Amino acid sequence: MCVHNHRMSKWCYALVINYVVVSLLIYEVTSYFTPKYDCDICHKDDFFTRTKFATSDESQYLQHESLQAVRVKRQNTAPSRPVMVQAHASTRQPPSPMTTENINLLAEKEFDVTNSTNTTVLIYDHLFYHVQYFNSDEFPSRWVDLDADNLTQIIWSLSTNHKLAATIEMSFELPFYGHMVKNITIATGGFIYTGDFIHQWMTSTQYIAPLMANFAPGLHNDSFVRYLDAGDGVFVVEWKNVILHDQPDYGNFTFQALLYETGDIFFIYEKIPASIHNISTLWHPVKVGLADAYMFISEYLHRYRQRTFYQYHAVKLDYMKIANNKIIHMKHQSTCITYNEGCVECLESPANEVFRCGWCSQLKRCSHGVDRLKQDWMMAQCHENVRAA
């Protein structure tokens, strides 16, 4: 009817436009309480873009999406809540790349205390990263004194503001969940955003968070956000003497994130004046750990583009182990996407023992089915034609 009747065609077109506008307004209301970060010197998208996240309860987002996006979500995505497995590491069954019910498997295994040096507290296996907690006696050898290095760069725009982020290009590429990251976005809120697409809701996922909270460096003259990249394969970010915007009486926090060219990440805490459990989450999330997501892109009227992020994995660290002079080491593990030289290398890789890698000849890519490039994997029907060991 919309094709053969000119008046009805106009009416249908107006209806579609109104639907898009109303959907945008609905989404803005649902995102009202999510902290928005402005970005200093960041990538700007060419299209007017809606950005949404499905990291906890996906059902609440379904009513605001196109039918195509809903179909893709229901058919091809893993459950948002990971399955907890407490099997021994040697007997743990890795997830299959063909089974979406198991692809979001999070294996968390507590290993024995290492007694040889009396420094290691616990080691946890989080599949993509092994997490190791250290006692205070390791602190002097790990803490980086940025005051003593003349290559230290103070990010003045962050040091004098609140809810602001700045993108920095590192001298090396960081393997993050196996993906090579060259540019990182440092935020006043105690975290680093690692995504390629910059948006205002950077706290949702794709982060490295030594202590994500509502910090406002601009409240204190001695608060600084700074970094050091000496070209030696380690990038240091420090939040020095930062104060919580809503709880300034808690005092000054000082901590660092060390990013290594190997993919290893260290969180080092010099001064933590309050329990992390007591930090308010009313206006800003509080997170400690890592998270990554894949993105699906859908278009409206061949002009408007919607990006929906699906968090496929997170490393959530223990708040109780964050205190003065404490250290957390996240050791990066080999992943399928590292091995893209050919099918044999993919299927015989060390990552295959954990993730059950599959080789997609259409893309010439090795994957276990869920990573940042999942949309390409699904569009090429790699999940149906993959070669696995």
Side-chain angles (χ1 to χ4, degrees):
M1 180 173 64
C2 290
V3 175
H4 299 290
N5 188 311
H6 182 65
R7 288 186 178 181
M8 291 303 295
S9 297
K10 287 187 175 180
W11 181 83
C12 290
Y13 183 77
L15 183 63
V16 171
I17 294 297
N18 288 333
Y19 167 77
V20 172
V21 173
V22 171
S23 297
L24 291 172
L25 292 175
I26 292 174
Y27 175 62
E28 287 299 326
V29 171
T30 59
S31 303
Y32 181 78
F33 292 106
T34 303
K36 297 181 181 180
Y37 273 78
D38 292 321
C39 195
D40 182 29
I41 316 177
C42 290
H43 168 74
K44 301 296 183 182
D45 199 273
D46 295 331
F47 297 88
F48 181 75
T49 307
R50 298 170 62 198
T51 304
K52 306 202 285 92
F53 303 91
T55 59
S56 56
D57 184 4
E58 296 184 23
S59 60
Q60 62 180 313
Y61 298 100
L62 292 180
Q63 58 181 320
H64 308 314
E65 298 183 355
S66 66
L67 294 178
Q68 179 184 3
V70 172
R71 284 196 296 269
V72 169
K73 176 183 294 184
R74 288 177 176 172
Q75 293 175 4
N76 301 327
T77 61
S80 58
R81 292 187 176 90
V83 180
M84 302 303 295
V85 176
Q86 295 182 345
H88 191 274
S90 61
T91 60
R92 183 184 66 214
Q93 294 298 317
S96 166
M98 304 310 128
T99 308
T100 57
E101 288 78 8
N102 294 329
I103 205 69
N104 201 24
L105 184 69
L106 171 63
E108 183 173 328
K109 167 66 182 174
E110 181 178 323
F111 289 81
D112 294 334
V113 175
T114 303
N115 296 317
S116 58
T117 61
N118 198 30
T119 58
T120 303
V121 179
L122 290 172
I123 301 176
Y124 291 87
D125 177 11
H126 290 269
L127 274 186
F128 293 90
Y129 290 87
H130 287 175
V131 178
Q132 192 170 8
Y133 296 91
F134 289 89
N135 284 324
S136 302
D137 48 359
E138 281 284 302
F139 178 83
S141 64
R142 290 291 181 180
W143 179 261
V144 180
D145 185 4
L146 297 190
D147 292 325
D149 199 310
N150 56 10
L151 294 178
T152 298
Q153 300 291 322
I154 298 175
I155 310 177
W156 289 107
S157 59
L158 304 188
S159 301
T160 56
N161 278 289
H162 175 226
K163 290 184 181 177
L164 190 67
T167 299
I168 305 295
E169 181 180 349
M170 297 186 293
S171 62
F172 60 88
E173 290 186 321
L174 171 74
F176 184 69
Y177 281 89
H179 298 277
M180 305 309 292
V181 176
K182 179 75 170 179
N183 297 321
I184 60 172
T185 301
I186 303 171
T188 55
F191 69 97
I192 300 166
Y193 175 73
T194 65
D196 297 324
F197 172 66
I198 303 298
H199 50 80
Q200 290 184 311
W201 296 276
M202 290 182 285
T203 61
S204 298
T205 187
Q206 294 186 319
Y207 57 75
I208 299 171
L211 181 51
M212 181 190 295
N214 198 15
F215 291 113
L219 293 179
H220 196 282
N221 292 333
D222 294 329
S223 296
F224 299 101
V225 181
R226 52 189 186 171
Y227 69 91
L228 173 65
D229 189 0
D232 56 354
V234 58
F235 190 97
V236 183
V237 183
E238 181 180 85
W239 292 262
K240 181 179 178 63
N241 291 326
V242 291
I243 293 178
L244 291 166
H245 183 269
D246 304 319
Q247 298 165 305
D249 294 341
Y250 278 10
N252 301 79
F253 293 72
T254 299
F255 51 92
Q256 295 179 344
L258 278 59
L259 315 181
Y260 284 81
E261 192 173 11
T262 60
D264 287 9
I265 299 172
F266 280 83
F267 293 164
I268 309 179
Y269 305 92
E270 182 186 51
K271 186 164 49 178
I272 304 296
S275 171
I276 309 302
H277 289 285
N278 294 332
I279 298 178
S280 173
T281 59
L282 180 60
W283 300 108
H284 196 290
V286 175
K287 301 177 183 179
V288 180
L290 313 173
D292 200 23
Y294 58 84
M295 177 177 65
F296 270 86
I297 299 177
S298 55
E299 292 186 358
Y300 295 90
L301 305 177
H302 304 289
R303 181 180 179 185
Y304 300 112
R305 183 183 302 171
Q306 173 180 295
R307 292 177 171 89
T308 305
F309 289 82
Y310 298 90
Q311 180 172 295
Y312 65 84
H313 189 270
V315 177
K316 299 179 181 180
L317 301 179
D318 187 354
Y319 290 177
M320 298 298 294
K321 296 181 175 63
I322 299 172
N324 293 343
N325 300 336
K326 295 295 185 179
I327 300 173
I328 304 176
H329 175 204
M330 284 143 287
K331 184 173 180 58
H332 184 262
Q333 301 301 298
S334 175
T335 60
C336 300
I337 57 177
T338 307
Y339 304 94
N340 286 318
E341 294 299 323
C343 181
V344 175
E345 183 196 38
C346 172
L347 302 185
E348 294 181 357
S349 67
N352 188 47
E353 299 178 4
V354 178
F355 296 100
R356 289 183 183 170
C357 305
W359 177 256
C360 179
S361 58
Q362 293 92 324
L363 298 177
K364 298 190 182 304
R365 182 182 300 162
C366 184
S367 176
H368 70 293
V370 176
D371 52 49
R372 289 191 179 189
L373 304 176
K374 180 174 180 177
Q375 185 170 25
D376 293 340
W377 187 267
M378 303 301 297
M379 295 295 291
Q381 297 184 330
C382 295
H383 57 297
E384 297 178 357
N385 304 315
V386 71
R387 293 183 62 183

